[in-house]
Amino acid sequence: SFVYARRRPFAQQKLRALLAKLPFVVDTMLPGSRLEHEGGEGGDEAAGPFATVLRSKGFVWVAPEGSVAYYWSHAGRHIDVSELGRWWAAVPREDWPEAHHASILEDFDTAGEGGDRRQEIVFIGAGLDETAITEALDACLLNDGEEA
């Protein structure tokens, strides 16, 4: 297993393109759309790096929406990316639960303005190609100067 972690948002179109290629049945609810069933068995990439992933789950940040935290949940042949809630960075601090300020701030990036926004996905499987999976996900990140 390994954790994919980045402090840059995914570009919506790039992420959609990757999801369409995965060897899974894909359900997504990304910015600007209703729940969509991408259907079928996924793309033609069954022999690709995601083929050995048995389970993956975590938090996803998708541009251009900076307030919504998405949940990535994959098991077997099904993957779902759906709204989880709001990033704490998008919630006024006076609305944070008083008892949890310290734990909320533990997830904040103090070097940037993203706050707790991030990619954090755990991948579990046999014979995982961490490098190839990481490269595929990195290719979905929004580049400097690129529009979402």
Side-chain angles (χ1 to χ4, degrees):
S1 68
F2 75 96
V3 177
Y4 174 81
R6 297 289 185 270
R7 290 285 182 163
R8 179 179 293 264
F10 284 133
Q12 180 186 164
Q13 297 298 47
K14 291 178 184 180
L15 181 59
R16 281 187 183 280
L18 173 67
L19 291 172
K21 292 179 185 176
L22 295 180
F24 312 131
V25 175
V26 179
D27 288 326
T28 65
M29 185 172 24
L30 293 174
S33 70
R34 292 277 192 212
L35 183 67
E36 291 184 11
H37 185 281
E38 300 290 344
E41 296 278 321
D44 298 326
E45 305 275 326
F50 291 88
T52 59
V53 177
L54 300 174
R55 176 89 170 100
S56 59
K57 63 180 182 171
F59 305 105
V60 179
W61 175 17
V62 181
E65 180 56 66
S67 64
V68 177
Y70 290 89
Y71 185 62
W72 171 296
S73 178
H74 156 244
R77 307 257 321 137
H78 185 269
I79 186 168
D80 178 52
V81 180
S82 58
E83 286 189 28
L84 176 65
R86 296 178 69 195
W87 295 108
W88 285 111
V91 175
R93 286 195 184 203
E94 60 269 12
D95 293 340
W96 291 5
E98 186 74 32
H100 299 287
H101 275 228
S103 64
I104 290 169
L105 288 171
E106 286 176 9
D107 288 328
F108 270 60
D109 177 10
T110 57
E113 295 181 22
D116 60 331
R117 296 175 186 99
R118 64 194 183 277
Q119 314 302 344
E120 188 173 300
I121 308 168
V122 177
F123 289 90
I124 302 165
L128 293 176
D129 187 343
E130 181 176 348
T131 300
I133 292 170
T134 298
E135 288 173 355
L137 292 170
D138 281 350
C140 295
L141 295 173
L142 191 66
N143 297 316
D144 290 335
E146 182 179 27
E147 295 207 19

